[in-house]
Amino acid sequence: MNTLSLLALKCAYNTFDLSSGLSNVSIRDQMVRAKLLIRDLVHSKEPCREILIVGAGIAGACAAVEAAKHEIRVVCVDRNERPFQLQHVSAHRYVGPYMYEWPAAFSELQHFPPLDWPDAKTMSKFFRTEFGWRALEPMASNVLADKLDTWLRDRLAAPATPAQPHPEFLMALPAAQVRQYVLAFIKGRKPLAGQFKAARHWPDGSVADVDIRPDFVILAAGMGRENCTLVEGVEGIKFWKDDTLWQPAVNTKQVGIFGGGDGAMQDFLRVLSIFNHPLAFIEALKQDHAVRVLLEREYAYLLSIEQQHRLESTWTLPSASHDIWRQIDSQCREVAQRLAMHYCVRRAVAAGVKPDGGGRVELFCREAYFGKAYLLNRFMLHLLNTCRRESTEEFDGRLPFAIHFMREARSGSVSHGIYDIVVADTKNPMGQERKKFEVVAVRFGVNRDTTAVKQLLGLKNKALASRTSMAQIPLPFF
C-alpha cells in the first residue's frame, strides 16, 4: 500500500474515508481525491470487483463514476433524496475549481480539467475524466449541481456495457441500516454479503432489495455538522443554506460575523463587496491598468508565500499552525501596505465596496490573526482593511466595516429579530462591550464528533488525528 491516496485515506479494514479531517476540501479537491483513490484501488494487489460508497455528493458520485469505468460494480448509498443535495440548496455560494489557486496564472478560468494547461494533450490524456465542466468564471453552487445532475442522469440513461456498468445510486436509505452493514464489514475483515431492503434507485425511483458484497467501502458522507452556535441560545445559519448576506439591501443592516477562517471571510466579503466572489473583485481591480501593473508585480511574491505556507502546513502539527498563519498574515499586510500607498489602488478597492445604506458589517476573530484560509480571501481582507486605514476619504459613502482580532462573544440573546451580543477581549475578559445586530453569521468550523468516520466507525479523536496526519498534503490540480 505504498501510495499516498491509500495510506492517507484508509481508516479501517478495506475502508477509505474521503470526507473526515481533511484540509483540502474544495469541490476540485474532492473530485481529484476520489479519482486518485479509485485509480490506486484498481491497481492494488487486492481484488476490486465491487465497491460500496457511502455518500452521493461530489466526492461519492465522482468515485462511483470513475470506478464503474474499470468494470467494477458500484453501489452508492445516501440518506438524501438525490445526489449533490448539499450543493443543490445554495444559490448564492460560488464555486470554481481554481478560484482559490489565485494568483496562479490558471486561476482565471474555471474549466475542469483546464483547457489551457501547458502541454495540454499529454496532461489531459493522463488525467482524463468524464466528471468535468466548462466555465469561464465561478458559478453558483446550485448551477453546478444542476449541471452535474443532468450529466449523471444522461450517463445512467445510456446503455450499460459489461466493460462500463452503471453505478447504482440508492437514495433515502436509513443511516442506521448503512452503519450496521459498514461496522459488520470492518469487523469481519473480509468481503461480506449484505442487503439493503426496499432501496429506492435514483433517478427512476424504482424500489427493490439490493444485494451487496463489496471488496472495499468508501466513506464520502460529508465533513460533519457545522458548529454554528455563537453562545447558548444564539445560532447562525448553515454555510450551505441560502441566506440574505448576498442581497444588495444588506447594506442597511447591522451585521456581525464570527470566525477567523474561510467561511467567515467569505461571508464578510459577500456582505461588504458588490461582487459574488473574491476573484471577481480581483478582476475588477485589474480593469484599471495602473492597478493591474501594481497588483501583478506582487504576484510572484504572493505565489511564493502561498506555496511556502502550504508546504510548511504539511510538515507542522495543527497545534503549531498558528505561527504559520501569523506569518502569512504579516506577509499579506506587507503587500497590502505597498499597494495601499497608491491612490489608484485605494480608489479601485473602495469602488468594490457596497454603498453606505446605514448599515455596518463587523468581523470578530478569536485570535490575533486569521486562521486556516485560502490566500485569496486572506489577502482581500488585508487589502480592504489597509486601504481604508491608509485613507478614509476614498471610502466616504461606502458601507462601514471593521475587523476585530482577539474578540469573542461571551453571552447573547435574540429578541424580535435583534441579536444582543456581549463581546469581550480574549486577553482581558473585563474589556466587554454590547453589540446589537440584525444579522449574525457564525463560522466555527465542523464539530469533529459528527464526522462520517466517528458516526459510522466510532473512531476516537486521538485515532482520527493519527489517521489524518497526511491529510494536509496538497493535491494535484486535476
Side-chain angles (χ1 to χ4, degrees):
M1 195 178 287
N2 189 21
T3 171
L4 276 175
S5 63
L6 301 184
L7 287 168
L9 301 175
K10 187 172 184 179
C11 58
Y13 164 77
N14 279 10
T15 302
F16 298 86
D17 181 24
L18 292 174
S19 54
S20 304
L22 302 171
S23 294
N24 306 293
V25 294
S26 71
I27 284 179
R28 173 184 61 81
D29 290 326
Q30 294 178 51
M31 295 171 66
V32 171
R33 186 181 290 113
K35 183 175 175 63
L36 293 175
L37 175 60
I38 295 300
R39 180 200 66 183
D40 292 342
L41 285 177
V42 168
H43 290 96
S44 67
K45 294 180 179 179
E46 296 191 49
C48 187
R49 296 154 298 202
E50 183 176 327
I51 296 176
L52 171 66
I53 299 175
V54 181
I58 296 285
C62 182
V65 170
E66 291 293 334
K69 289 163 54 178
H70 295 280
E71 302 182 39
I72 298 170
R73 186 199 176 203
V74 181
V75 177
C76 184
V77 302
D78 201 301
R79 63 183 177 183
N80 290 312
E81 296 292 326
R82 58 179 174 175
F84 318 118
Q85 178 66 27
L86 193 65
Q87 287 75 33
H88 270 299
V89 299
S90 178
H92 300 100
R93 292 280 179 193
Y94 282 75
V95 295
Y98 302 110
M99 173 165 59
Y100 289 115
E101 299 304 325
W102 181 88
F106 56 89
S107 65
E108 294 183 2
L109 299 180
Q110 304 302 314
H111 304 306
F112 184 82
L115 293 179
D116 55 350
W117 196 264
D119 194 16
K121 282 188 177 180
T122 303
M123 300 298 284
S124 62
K125 181 179 180 181
F126 184 73
F127 288 104
R128 184 173 296 145
T129 176
E130 298 180 54
F131 212 71
W133 61 85
R134 296 285 171 259
L136 296 177
E137 59 183 2
M139 68 184 82
S141 172
N142 67 329
V143 173
L144 176 59
D146 286 342
K147 286 179 178 290
L148 296 178
D149 187 289
T150 299
W151 174 85
L152 190 55
R153 287 175 182 270
D154 290 345
R155 192 185 190 287
L156 295 177
T161 66
Q164 288 199 24
H166 286 161
E168 299 175 63
F169 288 86
L170 311 181
M171 308 307 294
L173 212 58
Q177 186 179 359
V178 176
R179 182 176 187 270
Q180 182 180 17
Y181 174 81
V182 171
L183 288 175
F185 172 85
I186 293 169
K187 186 177 181 180
R189 300 190 63 80
K190 63 181 180 181
L192 176 69
Q195 185 181 78
F196 293 127
K197 295 187 176 297
R200 182 167 63 80
H201 286 77
W202 182 91
D204 64 16
S206 61
V207 176
D209 295 342
V210 176
D211 295 318
I212 58 170
R213 194 176 185 276
D215 300 295
F216 296 99
V217 172
I218 295 176
L219 306 180
M223 294 181 292
R225 289 195 297 273
E226 294 177 68
N227 179 5
C228 294
T229 302
L230 182 60
V231 293
E232 185 177 354
V234 179
E235 293 281 331
I237 193 169
K238 302 296 183 186
F239 184 84
W240 286 105
K241 296 291 185 184
D242 259 349
D243 53 35
T244 60
L245 299 182
W246 60 275
Q247 295 178 350
V250 76
N251 68 347
T252 66
K253 307 289 186 181
Q254 301 296 317
V255 182
I257 298 173
F258 294 81
D262 270 314
M265 292 183 185
Q266 285 184 37
D267 284 345
F268 183 80
L269 289 169
R270 290 169 71 220
V271 174
L272 184 63
S273 84
I274 61 176
F275 303 103
N276 289 327
H277 51 81
L279 192 59
F281 204 149
I282 290 287
E283 291 304 312
L285 296 179
K286 290 164 61 177
Q287 296 307 303
D288 183 308
H289 177 72
V291 176
R292 184 188 189 104
V293 171
L294 291 166
L295 187 58
E296 291 185 348
R297 190 179 294 166
E298 301 288 352
Y299 275 13
Y301 177 67
L302 286 169
L303 190 57
S304 68
I305 65 175
E306 169 69 351
Q307 291 171 336
Q308 173 67 10
H309 166 242
R310 290 189 182 189
L311 293 172
E312 197 171 1
S313 295
T314 304
W315 292 86
T316 303
L317 286 170
S319 59
S321 294
H322 57 271
D323 289 332
I324 300 173
W325 297 334
R326 185 183 288 111
Q327 180 183 23
I328 198 169
D329 266 357
S330 175
Q331 293 166 321
C332 283
R333 277 194 299 269
E334 288 176 16
V335 175
Q337 187 62 52
R338 288 196 293 268
L339 292 171
M341 292 171 58
H342 301 273
Y343 169 73
C344 63
V345 173
R346 299 195 303 272
R347 179 188 60 197
V349 170
V353 176
K354 284 187 176 76
D356 186 355
R360 179 180 174 85
V361 57
E362 299 183 64
L363 175 64
F364 298 88
C365 306
R366 287 172 172 167
E367 308 294 344
Y369 45 82
F370 293 125
K372 177 182 176 293
Y374 291 109
L375 178 68
L376 177 57
N377 290 332
R378 187 187 299 270
F379 174 74
M380 282 307 306
L381 264 66
H382 281 298
L383 184 61
L384 281 157
N385 212 27
T386 306
C387 283
R388 198 271 312 273
R389 192 169 57 244
E390 185 70 20
S391 174
T392 59
E393 182 180 346
E394 291 79 31
F395 289 83
D396 287 346
R398 298 293 171 177
L399 180 63
F401 65 91
I403 300 175
H404 307 281
F405 292 101
M406 300 183 71
R407 296 290 187 275
E408 66 179 357
R410 289 298 172 91
S411 62
S413 61
V414 187
S415 178
H416 304 292
I418 300 298
Y419 296 82
D420 190 350
I421 309 297
V422 174
V423 178
D425 187 322
T426 56
K427 290 290 187 181
N428 176 23
M430 299 302 294
Q432 299 183 352
E433 58 180 324
R434 177 168 261 105
K435 297 276 187 178
K436 291 187 181 294
F437 300 110
E438 295 162 274
V439 181
V440 164
V442 182
R443 301 287 172 245
F444 289 162
V446 172
N447 183 337
R448 293 179 64 193
D449 290 330
T450 64
T451 61
V453 159
K454 294 200 72 175
Q455 292 291 301
L456 286 166
L457 309 184
L459 281 185
K460 303 297 183 184
N461 283 336
K462 185 175 181 180
L464 185 59
S466 174
R467 187 191 68 80
T468 60
S469 61
M470 290 179 285
Q472 295 193 74
I473 297 173
L475 290 153
F477 294 122
F478 55 90

